[in-house]
Amino acid sequence: MIITLKDGSKKEYESSMSVIDIANDISAGLARMACAGEVDGEVVDLRHVVDKDVTLNILTFNDDSGKGAFRHTTAHILSQAVKRLFPEVKLAIGPSIENGYYYDFDKETPFTNEDLEAIEKEMKKIVKENLPIKRFELPRDEAISFMKEKGEDYKVELIEDLGKDEVISFYEQGEFVDLCAGPHLMTTKPVKAFKLLSVAGAYWRGDEKNKMLSRIYGTSFTKKAELDAYIQKLEEAKKRDHRKLGKELELFAMFDEGPGFPFFLPKGMVLRNTLIDYWREVHNRANYQEIATPIILNKELWLRSGHWDHYRENMYTTVIDELDYAVKPMNCPGGMLVYKNKMHSYRDLPLRVGELGLVHRHEMSGALHGLMRVRNFTQDDAHIFMLPEQIKDEIVGVINLIDEVYKVFGFKYHMELSTRPEDSMGSDEDWDMATEALRQALDENGLDYVVNEGDGAFYGPKIDFHLEDCLGRTWQCGTIQLDFQLPERFELEYTGKDGEKHRPVMIHRVVFGSIERFIGILIEHFAGAFPAWLAPVQVKVLPISDKYNDYATKVVDGLKAKGIRVEFDDRAEKIGYKIREGRMERVPYLLIVGQKEQDENKVAVRSRAKGDEGATLLDEFIVRLEKEIESKEIIEAEEK
């Protein structure tokens, strides 16, 4: 058989061989680093036997799938340690996830920090034991009996949900056996750098009607230095947590009276409105028209749009005049009605219509997370109605608009093309046409992207934009969704050049995604130290003593006259205390005034980026700040 490797080179073997044996034949060093294999595009176990001509890629920790196998093995080491220390605990599921892994356990009392320490200690023992990891299979009925004998009820339920003819695979390491499809490492030995991070509650199978389980999160790496760097990044993320900073900086609040429904405080509203003003500026330049649609609309609309059938469990409903209504989870059906409000000609298209629409979606209480996961949020939606021949140009126009916005905030990003999901509506022909249109727009403009199979919206494929923040974390925000379905369902029409009626094609798109979530991302990205144009308070004026309050008032009035957001700290506190507070509040500029400044009509400037900058004329400072605000400049602190 001929094995074609990733670099195009070929290896020839006379008989079948496992992936790990082929890796060893290529290089002993590669075999030591191998975590899994990829055969003809399919990720397989290192034990997988190759018996025909294939394309083979040996996956290491540097590959996402290799990393997944490594961390999945760590999850098994975790569950083995738990079973050794707490034999009565029942096992649920334990996959690898981005940046780590978790395992769900049915334990009568939640795990404590002391438990995690003991579990980590036992995991280290398991790694040192260098236990060989073996795979074996059983027919479905035997697999059920096997798990019943072990008292693993959750595993039995998982197997019973599989087809009757399924062959069930297990992985064994020492005394521990787990139901698992794999892949896994060859032994426990390579997993030396790991850390258990936290415990959380998780409903079995994500259903709040089921029992709450204890979920242990962890991470693992091949090198201790990489683990230490990751832990350090997590510590930095804790300092930047938008929930903590949002409270300290008085931006937003969450109350028990409205779980998942954020309250924006005065300073938070300044930040929010500044973002919205910028959004309007960008969209006005790009020839968008703005509309507003109602929050509550009747059931018939949501049946027509498909949301009632495909999204009902996430919708809030009510009854008005004995008829069913729903609180909108999305803005698009209202946008359809606006389009239908009058007849359109081909000359009107493309028609770009934007909306800052408040939507409500039901999220389980355990999934709520500050501004990142809420039950009501404002989508910066827009819908573009166009002719078929305008599709590519409009997609490129949206990509350029999103690129412009993200660059203002200093974000890097990557794009993903998401294709048809299982739960979808529409013909294969429409889906193929829509997907190909998105692909061509990306390819013809030389844009890099990855394909995310099966992750499109239920009505069409999409391009997703994943932001990367200063800690290297990614956030899916912007999206461009091409839709042939809603124009059909709502019978949208335009009059063509031929005088006949035709269906427009439609794009759904957002830039921020959710304004609330985007604010949460910005808080963490900037650690609350927003650029001057975004900062709720741009300048704070600090008189050295109350003798200089009159002059300080003149400074404040001069700044306000120029539209600069300023606060006056006239408290009878020492100036050092006021400066420290101003720095804690992350105000871009503190202006200190005393006798000398008053005599010379100056201000002593202390900036967040450079510290003490000395005295300057007030007018000169205002000109400088106006330029910084106008340019939306991001000024980073100089290294000391």
Side-chain angles (χ1 to χ4, degrees):
M1 62 185 180
I2 297 173
I3 307 298
T4 304
L5 302 176
K6 185 179 180 181
D7 62 1
S9 62
K10 299 181 186 298
K11 302 279 287 185
E12 191 169 344
Y13 300 100
E14 292 183 0
S15 59
S16 59
M17 291 179 72
S18 67
V19 172
I20 190 65
D21 287 339
I22 295 172
N24 257 311
D25 185 61
I26 297 169
S27 158
L30 177 62
R32 280 195 298 273
M33 294 191 298
C35 298
E38 187 178 39
V39 174
D40 290 339
E42 180 185 354
V43 178
V44 299
D45 201 272
L46 291 170
R47 300 155 193 78
H48 177 85
V49 175
V50 180
D51 57 5
K52 61 180 180 179
D53 295 355
V54 298
T55 298
L56 174 65
N57 183 15
I58 306 297
L59 301 173
T60 70
F61 192 80
N62 293 324
D63 302 292
D64 287 343
S65 296
K67 203 176 269 119
F70 187 95
R71 287 173 170 163
H72 198 173
T73 299
T74 319
H76 275 214
I77 294 170
L78 160 63
S79 52
Q80 183 176 13
V82 168
K83 289 295 281 186
R84 283 184 178 184
L85 297 173
F86 307 94
E88 75 284 0
V89 166
K90 295 187 186 299
L91 305 176
I93 57 170
S96 64
I97 55 174
E98 187 178 6
N99 296 322
Y101 54 89
Y102 70 77
Y103 211 109
D104 289 345
F105 303 95
D106 186 352
K107 185 174 182 289
E108 286 306 311
T109 57
F111 291 100
T112 64
N113 287 333
E114 290 74 20
D115 290 337
L116 293 192
E117 289 175 13
I119 294 166
E120 269 193 16
K121 191 174 179 181
E122 192 62 36
M123 289 173 71
K124 288 175 183 174
K125 288 183 185 176
I126 293 168
V127 169
K128 282 184 179 177
E129 289 169 19
N130 189 17
L131 300 174
I133 300 174
K134 302 171 185 175
R135 185 180 192 274
F136 65 92
E137 296 178 346
L138 292 175
R140 182 174 178 274
D141 290 344
E142 286 185 37
I144 290 172
S145 299
F146 183 61
M147 284 289 106
K148 279 184 176 178
E149 286 174 15
K150 290 182 170 292
E152 297 292 357
D153 302 337
Y154 297 99
K155 303 294 183 181
V156 171
E157 183 178 328
L158 289 171
I159 299 169
E160 286 177 340
D161 284 348
L162 297 173
K164 290 187 177 181
D165 297 328
E166 290 278 347
V167 176
I168 315 300
S169 62
F170 295 85
Y171 280 82
E172 177 183 13
Q173 53 196 53
E175 82 289 354
F176 178 77
V177 179
D178 201 358
L179 169 72
C180 189
H184 283 280
L185 304 181
M186 298 300 292
T187 77
T188 60
K189 184 179 180 181
V191 186
K192 293 177 180 175
F194 58 85
K195 179 73 178 171
L196 300 184
L197 300 172
S198 62
V199 179
Y203 293 109
W204 168 235
R205 292 190 152 181
D207 188 340
E208 56 191 350
K209 295 175 184 175
N210 290 336
K211 186 171 184 179
M212 176 73 80
L213 306 177
S214 287
R215 174 173 294 178
I216 296 179
Y217 285 98
T219 192
S220 58
F221 293 84
T222 55
K223 299 172 184 172
K224 185 176 183 301
E226 291 177 350
L227 175 63
D228 291 343
Y230 180 74
I231 298 300
Q232 188 175 355
K233 190 183 285 187
L234 286 183
E235 291 303 315
E236 180 62 26
K238 285 180 186 176
K239 293 178 192 173
R240 292 169 177 262
D241 190 317
H242 76 284
R243 295 167 297 178
K244 171 177 171 286
L245 291 176
K247 184 175 183 180
E248 290 174 5
L249 301 177
E250 298 180 356
L251 299 174
F252 70 93
M254 309 296 288
F255 297 107
D256 292 341
E257 291 81 355
F261 300 98
F263 287 68
F264 276 86
L265 306 178
K267 288 180 180 177
M269 280 305 295
V270 172
L271 173 59
R272 180 189 178 99
N273 286 334
T274 303
L275 279 175
I276 288 173
D277 289 345
Y278 173 60
W279 184 91
R280 288 194 167 114
E281 172 199 325
V282 170
H283 286 75
N284 283 336
R285 277 194 272 110
N287 296 316
Y288 283 76
Q289 303 173 43
E290 188 174 348
I291 62 168
T293 62
I295 291 176
I296 300 176
L297 294 163
N298 71 19
K299 176 182 175 181
E300 293 306 312
L301 178 82
W302 303 109
L303 281 169
R304 194 172 189 182
S305 70
H307 289 89
W308 198 269
D309 294 327
H310 294 269
Y311 207 73
R312 172 68 184 80
E313 69 277 7
N314 294 101
M315 296 167 67
Y316 295 113
T317 59
T318 187
V319 175
I320 301 173
D321 297 334
E322 300 182 1
L323 295 174
D324 289 329
Y325 280 72
V327 181
K328 67 176 178 181
M330 297 175 188
N331 297 307
C332 23
M336 302 302 100
L337 298 183
V338 170
Y339 181 90
K340 285 175 70 75
N341 188 51
K342 72 171 196 176
M343 279 301 301
H344 294 278
S345 159
Y346 71 93
R347 293 186 183 89
D348 301 329
L349 307 183
L351 180 64
R352 307 181 187 109
V353 183
E355 177 175 12
L356 295 162
L358 181 64
V359 299
H360 290 71
R361 299 179 185 177
H362 179 63
E363 298 282 357
M364 290 190 296
S365 57
L368 300 176
H369 181 77
L371 296 178
M372 303 301 196
R373 198 74 176 263
V374 291
R375 287 172 169 160
N376 77 303
F377 54 93
T378 303
Q379 266 196 323
D380 64 317
D381 249 327
H383 299 102
I384 303 174
F385 305 92
M386 59 201 165
L387 310 175
E389 60 266 29
Q390 294 170 333
I391 291 175
K392 272 192 284 185
D393 285 345
E394 288 305 304
I395 292 169
V396 172
V398 176
I399 290 172
N400 291 338
L401 185 148
I402 293 175
D403 178 72
E404 175 188 343
V405 172
Y406 290 173
K407 281 180 178 173
V408 162
F409 300 100
F411 286 125
K412 299 176 185 175
Y413 65 88
H414 73 269
M415 290 183 280
E416 293 185 1
L417 173 60
S418 299
T419 60
R420 186 174 191 170
E422 287 186 18
D423 182 17
S424 60
M425 61 185 190
S427 68
D428 291 342
E429 183 183 1
D430 281 350
W431 272 87
D432 291 344
M433 189 188 308
T435 304
E436 190 55 30
L438 292 177
R439 195 188 305 273
Q440 284 181 14
L442 291 165
D443 289 343
E444 291 179 14
N445 286 274
L447 300 169
D448 292 329
Y449 64 95
V450 296
V451 177
N452 192 3
E453 297 287 357
D455 201 39
F458 67 83
Y459 48 76
K462 59 180 181 168
I463 298 170
D464 288 328
F465 293 74
H466 295 259
L467 301 184
E468 182 180 324
D469 68 15
C470 65
L471 294 179
R473 300 172 301 181
T474 56
W475 308 88
Q476 195 272 304
C477 290
T479 186
I480 304 171
Q481 301 171 0
L482 193 55
D483 187 358
F484 288 84
Q485 311 307 323
L486 284 189
E488 186 69 34
R489 283 182 166 241
F490 281 88
E491 300 177 343
L492 304 189
E493 294 179 334
Y494 67 89
T495 304
K497 288 181 183 179
D498 56 3
E500 299 296 321
K501 296 289 189 290
H502 301 274
R503 287 267 183 271
V505 182
M506 179 181 162
I507 286 174
H508 307 249
R509 47 111 294 194
V510 293
V511 182
F512 296 144
S514 150
I515 288 179
E516 288 76 4
R517 184 165 173 267
F518 198 77
I519 287 173
I521 294 168
L522 288 178
I523 293 170
E524 298 195 0
H525 180 62
F526 291 117
F530 302 107
W533 74 278
L534 269 181
V537 178
Q538 294 165 326
V539 178
K540 205 163 188 179
V541 178
L542 316 177
I544 289 173
S545 74
D546 57 11
K547 287 193 300 182
Y548 308 107
N549 280 359
D550 289 346
Y551 177 63
T553 300
K554 286 176 62 178
V555 171
V556 169
D557 290 344
L559 292 162
K560 283 184 176 178
K562 295 294 185 178
I564 293 167
R565 298 189 288 270
V566 58
E567 280 189 356
F568 180 16
D569 189 347
D570 60 354
R571 294 172 301 163
E573 298 284 357
K574 290 182 178 179
I575 191 64
Y577 177 80
K578 291 181 180 182
I579 291 171
R580 280 194 300 276
E581 275 214 338
R583 290 179 64 190
M584 290 294 291
E585 292 166 7
R586 294 160 173 79
V587 178
Y589 292 97
L590 305 178
L591 301 185
I592 298 142
V593 296
Q595 187 67 53
K596 186 179 179 184
E597 288 75 26
Q598 179 175 281
D599 292 344
E600 299 176 3
N601 196 31
K602 290 184 175 181
V603 290
V605 179
R606 188 175 190 92
S607 72
R608 191 177 59 204
K610 297 181 180 179
D612 187 359
E613 295 189 26
T616 186
L617 291 171
L618 177 60
D619 288 346
E620 290 179 0
F621 171 76
I622 289 173
V623 169
R624 164 190 166 178
L625 181 54
E626 284 180 326
K627 285 181 180 176
E628 185 180 330
I629 292 168
E630 177 66 25
S631 67
K632 296 180 174 58
E633 187 178 2
I634 298 173
I635 299 177
E636 297 181 3
E638 294 179 353
E639 296 205 13
K640 304 292 184 186

